[in-house]
């Protein structure tokens, strides 16, 4: 692994309405790692992820990409988000655009690709996930699992170095979760750097190189799945016990 993390947060602090939601979180992710953020509801997991993509502005601390903090202007942040993509819980597809248009919009608008190049890339990605026949369909015509897979390849179309996932399966019916998890496994095998917020600790233990356990806005554990299972921390053990993880 690289000596320098690809993405790092240092002493992150974030308040909402006078309440401290993130309280000094630090973590580092190396290229090719799959890192899951887990913990109880309200622990601050999604807020950490949103701060990583500057969808929330930290009140203190740093977010570093290849050792540097992006400048706080639209051009710099748009460039950063091309390299650090994000997949949302509720897909965030544009309902008035068809699937190919959803995938090609960002690469064309940012000047990363011509329309022809972006369309070719979109069709390749749809072929990869078995949805080439949905290229001209609209989001309302897709199942939840199909929408989330499209959302993932929309992020991949930008050829990012890192993908951030915010609860990628929690809005799906149980029978649709497997198809999204299968795509995430494939990305991990391809060496994609991924940071995933999830309540699915079983999937985290299967896929993650490391699992970071947050509670009350703090990091309590930063371990491999095996180390987390044998944690002596009472809060962690209770959390895993409720989810029948041993």
């Amino acid at each position: 692994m690289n000596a320098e993390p690809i993405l790092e947060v240092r002493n992150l602090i974030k308040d909402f309405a006078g309440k401290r939601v993130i309280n000094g979180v630090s973590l580092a992710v190396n290229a090719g790692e799959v890192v899951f953020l887990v913990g109880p509801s309200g622990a601050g997991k999604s807020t950490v992820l949103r701060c990583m993509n500057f969808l929330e502005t930290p009140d203190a601390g740093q977010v570093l990409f290849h050792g540097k903090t992006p400048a706080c202007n639209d051009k710099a942040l748009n460039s950063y988000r091309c390299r650090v993509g994000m997949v949302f819980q509720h897909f965030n597809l544009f309902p008035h655009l068809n699937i190919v248009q959803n995938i090609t919009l960002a690469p064309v608008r940012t000047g990363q690709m011509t329309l022809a190049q972006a369309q070719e890339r979109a069709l390749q990605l749809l072929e990869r996930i078995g949805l080439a026949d949905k290229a001209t369909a609209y989001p309302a015509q897709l199942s939840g699992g199909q929408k989330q897979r499209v959302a993932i390849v929309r992020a991949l179309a930008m050829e990012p170095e890192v993908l951030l996932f915010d609860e990628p399966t929690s809005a799906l019916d149980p029978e649709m979760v497997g198809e999204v998890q299968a795509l995430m496994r494939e990305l991990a095998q391809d060496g994609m750097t991924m940071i995933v917020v999830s309540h699915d600790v079983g999937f985290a233990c299967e896929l993650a190189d490391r699992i970071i356990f947050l509670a009350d806005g703090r990091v309590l554990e930063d371990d491999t799945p095996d180390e987390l299972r044998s944690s002596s921390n009472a809060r962690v053990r209770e959390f895993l016990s409720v989810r029948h993880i041993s």
Side-chain angles (χ1 to χ4, degrees), residues 192-203:
M192 173 61 72
T193 307
M194 299 192 288
I195 305 170
V196 185
V197 168
S198 180
H199 282 98
D200 190 337
V201 184
F203 184 52

Side-chain angles (χ1 to χ4, degrees), residues 84-246:
V84 180
M86 187 147 177
V87 178
F88 297 89
Q89 178 179 358
H90 294 289
F91 326 129
N92 285 21
L93 298 175
F94 294 107
H96 63 291
L97 300 179
N98 68 30
I99 300 310
V100 165
Q101 290 169 334
N102 263 281
I103 296 170
T104 59
L105 183 66
V108 173
R109 281 199 173 177
T110 59
Q112 190 166 328
M113 300 178 190
T114 65
L115 178 58
Q117 289 170 333
Q119 288 174 335
E120 181 179 3
R121 173 74 170 153
L123 292 173
Q124 289 171 347
L125 289 168
L126 289 172
E127 183 72 35
R128 174 179 177 176
I129 63 171
L131 292 177
D133 60 326
K134 303 295 185 182
T136 58
Y138 286 81
Q141 298 171 292
L142 272 58
S143 70
Q146 290 172 332
K147 289 176 188 176
Q148 191 61 290
R149 284 186 288 154
V150 169
I152 292 171
V153 299
R154 177 179 62 178
L156 288 174
M158 299 299 292
E159 300 180 344
E161 295 181 51
V162 181
L163 274 183
L164 309 177
F165 292 81
D166 189 9
E167 295 282 4
T169 60
S170 65
L172 302 179
D173 292 332
E175 64 270 19
M176 297 176 184
V177 169
E179 59 195 52
V180 174
Q181 290 181 341
L183 177 55
M184 293 176 69
R185 288 188 195 98
E186 184 181 325
L187 293 175
Q189 290 167 359
D190 289 346
M192 173 61 72
T193 307
M194 299 192 288
I195 305 170
V196 185
V197 168
S198 180
H199 282 98
D200 190 337
V201 184
F203 184 52
C205 287
E206 172 198 339
L207 192 65
D209 296 301
R210 288 171 30 234
I211 299 176
I212 296 174
F213 185 94
L214 285 88
D216 303 319
R218 297 178 181 272
V219 173
L220 296 191
E221 298 272 357
D222 183 346
D223 293 322
T224 67
D226 286 344
E227 289 169 339
L228 191 77
R229 287 189 188 100
S230 59
S231 173
S232 60
N233 186 294
R235 189 82 178 270
V236 175
R237 293 183 68 83
E238 179 186 5
F239 180 84
L240 296 178
S241 174
V242 169
R243 286 154 181 81
H244 307 291
I245 303 295
S246 59

